[in-house]
Amino acid sequence: MKIYDWIVIGAGITGAALAYELVKQKFSVLLLEQDTNLQNATHYSYGGLAFWSGNTPLTCQLCTEGKARYQVLGEELGADIELRELDLLLTIPCGHNPEVVATTYSHFATPPQLLTIEAAVALEPLLNPASLAGALTVKHGHIHPEKTAKAYIQGFLRQGGEMDFSQVVKLSSQRVETVAESYSSANIAICAGGLSRQLLQASGISLNLYFTHAEILQTPPVDIRLSTLVMPANLTRYQLEAESSMLENFWNATDDSIINPIIDVGAVQFLNNSLRIGQISRVSSHTHAQIDTNASAEWLMKSVANILPSLAQLATTWHHCLVAFSGDRLPLIGNIPEQPSIYIFSGFSNPLVFVPPLAQRFAHWVTGKQDDIISQLSPLR
């Protein structure tokens, strides 16, 4: 049986980028993915790159490194990842004080500019001015997330990496078991996103890694033109994550408990003119939570109709995925305690910005190069 240097589990943006960077360091690498269609959180992402959003020395450095990495990434991978810059419009609903909301962004590296209702509508004519108290705007990077992940995978394969499509059911020191067969490797990296916690639990490993159920609507290419990336200024997803990460009894429950879902209404249009509209986030202790898809789609469309009424009549398809998060909005990267050959690379709250530079850093770190940033993201922190 072949023994790999590394097995990377999960081929979303985290696993694809990490596998690529590891094989560039001349490691023998096997990338395992359960879904041949790559229907993961990366596939349904908005594709936003919040390079402006660093608010600590650590996150500011990663945003700077992420921006620099993207400037060369498409050419390096030999693919069009649709890198561009958009105006991000952060909507402030009626009943909120725009100046107060603006102060909550004052600590970011590039604080968004406060707009009047009239200026916001001039920037995004599809907005419903009656729903707004104001808005914030800032320049925001954007990519096609699925094309970027696939470009990483193709680059990985060109460099000599191997890939197999099979569901991982259990892992242990230097061994990964799938539904089809077993593989041996000196090291294992778990990049399975929202499924990482379930996989770890099935392997008898406990880690403070969690997941939400995210729901969006997607359209085919349409004639309507959205000029900006629209999101709410008051994101409630982060509060939901922070509060649920403190409920350890909830996460260890055997029944399918669900915390009341929240909605953060936003929309983005890709270069092929398709739209992604979202998102609902809900927390369940189970990866296969029962969701009323019709009720979710109706809630999403009713909510978007208030902000962007011209989108409300579009034909859409409902989609669902799992999104991993940690207890402090920073990813978990490094050795899993008491598991010297098993590593975690998951829990990103800002994945598309942070993953490319951190995948590079991780690949150099495991060759023996010291890295103060990787050490700050250790599961032991």
Side-chain angles (χ1 to χ4, degrees):
M1 179 182 293
K2 180 174 181 178
I3 300 177
Y4 295 91
D5 295 323
W6 284 89
I7 290 178
V8 177
I9 302 172
I13 191 69
T14 53
L18 188 62
Y20 171 76
E21 297 295 349
L22 287 169
V23 83
K24 278 180 63 180
Q25 296 303 313
K26 308 304 180 184
F27 291 113
S28 60
V29 183
L30 173 65
L31 178 60
L32 292 175
E33 166 60 38
Q34 68 174 5
D35 190 346
T36 56
N37 294 318
L38 301 176
Q39 304 287 312
N40 47 40
T42 301
H43 182 90
Y44 298 119
S45 165
Y46 277 0
L49 301 169
F51 297 130
W52 56 272
S53 65
N55 57 10
T56 65
L58 171 63
T59 56
C60 284
Q61 182 173 347
L62 289 174
C63 284
T64 299
E65 291 182 9
K67 187 172 185 178
R69 186 74 182 109
Y70 274 107
Q71 297 307 310
V72 300
L73 187 60
E75 182 177 358
E76 180 179 322
L77 297 176
D80 181 8
I81 61 174
E82 300 185 6
L83 176 66
R84 57 180 172 148
E85 188 175 73
L86 290 173
D87 291 309
L88 172 65
L89 202 61
L90 299 165
T91 57
I92 302 171
C94 292
H96 290 73
N97 186 316
E99 287 77 15
V100 172
V101 174
T103 62
T104 65
Y105 285 85
S106 61
H107 61 296
F108 288 107
T110 304
Q113 173 190 356
L114 181 60
L115 299 178
T116 64
I117 297 173
E118 294 74 18
V121 174
L123 192 62
E124 181 49 76
L126 297 186
L127 281 174
N128 173 19
S131 69
L132 300 177
L136 300 166
T137 188
V138 66
K139 294 297 183 181
H140 197 73
H142 191 261
I143 55 169
H144 193 295
E146 184 184 8
K147 289 183 179 180
T148 304
K150 288 182 176 179
Y152 264 126
I153 291 170
Q154 291 304 312
F156 162 74
L157 295 173
R158 286 195 301 270
Q159 293 276 349
E162 299 178 34
M163 187 173 185
D164 196 8
F165 290 94
S166 188
Q167 182 182 357
V168 176
V169 293
K170 190 176 181 181
L171 53 89
S172 57
S173 178
Q174 301 183 340
R175 184 169 294 277
V176 174
E177 298 179 21
T178 73
V179 293
E181 58 184 295
S182 295
Y183 300 92
S184 294
S185 179
N187 302 283
I188 301 163
I190 302 172
C191 308
L195 292 172
S196 297
R197 180 182 176 90
Q198 180 188 49
L199 177 58
L200 289 165
Q201 286 182 324
S203 306
I205 300 171
S206 178
L207 202 63
N208 293 329
L209 184 64
Y210 313 97
F211 55 90
T212 58
H213 293 258
E215 303 167 53
I216 69 161
L217 299 174
Q218 190 165 8
T219 76
V222 295
D223 292 332
I224 291 174
R225 294 294 178 267
L226 188 67
S227 302
T228 63
L229 195 167
V230 178
M231 293 181 65
N234 297 314
L235 275 175
T236 54
R237 176 171 68 89
Y238 295 137
Q239 181 179 350
L240 176 69
E241 291 176 354
E243 292 175 354
S244 63
S245 68
M246 301 175 67
L247 304 175
E248 205 58 36
N249 288 338
F250 168 85
W251 287 103
N252 293 326
T254 56
D255 61 324
D256 187 6
S257 303
I258 295 181
I259 296 175
N260 287 337
I262 56 91
I263 190 167
D264 290 317
V265 181
V268 65
Q269 191 163 36
F270 286 78
L271 290 179
N272 71 347
N273 294 327
S274 66
L275 288 156
R276 291 182 189 173
I277 302 166
Q279 79 177 30
I280 294 172
S281 297
R282 67 183 79 223
V283 176
S284 168
S285 55
H286 287 218
T287 55
H288 298 289
Q290 295 298 312
I291 297 172
D292 186 334
T293 59
N294 291 329
S296 287
E298 183 179 347
W299 185 20
L300 273 166
M301 290 309 283
K302 182 178 180 180
S303 299
V304 79
N306 185 48
I307 304 295
L308 297 161
S310 58
L311 304 188
Q313 302 305 314
L314 295 175
T316 61
T317 305
W318 177 89
H319 295 284
H320 159 262
C321 62
L322 300 179
V323 177
F325 68 93
S326 70
D328 61 6
R329 292 183 58 182
L330 290 173
L332 299 181
I333 297 178
N335 292 101
I336 293 177
E338 301 180 6
Q339 302 288 340
S341 64
I342 304 177
Y343 296 75
I344 188 74
F345 191 79
S346 188
F348 291 80
S349 290
N350 195 1
L352 295 181
V353 173
F354 288 173
V355 165
L358 285 172
Q360 273 193 326
R361 284 180 167 274
F362 183 98
H364 287 102
W365 175 64
V366 296
T367 66
K369 182 178 179 180
Q370 185 175 354
D371 193 303
D372 292 339
I373 284 184
I374 295 295
S375 63
Q376 291 180 64
L377 302 176
S378 166
L380 292 171
R381 67 177 185 269

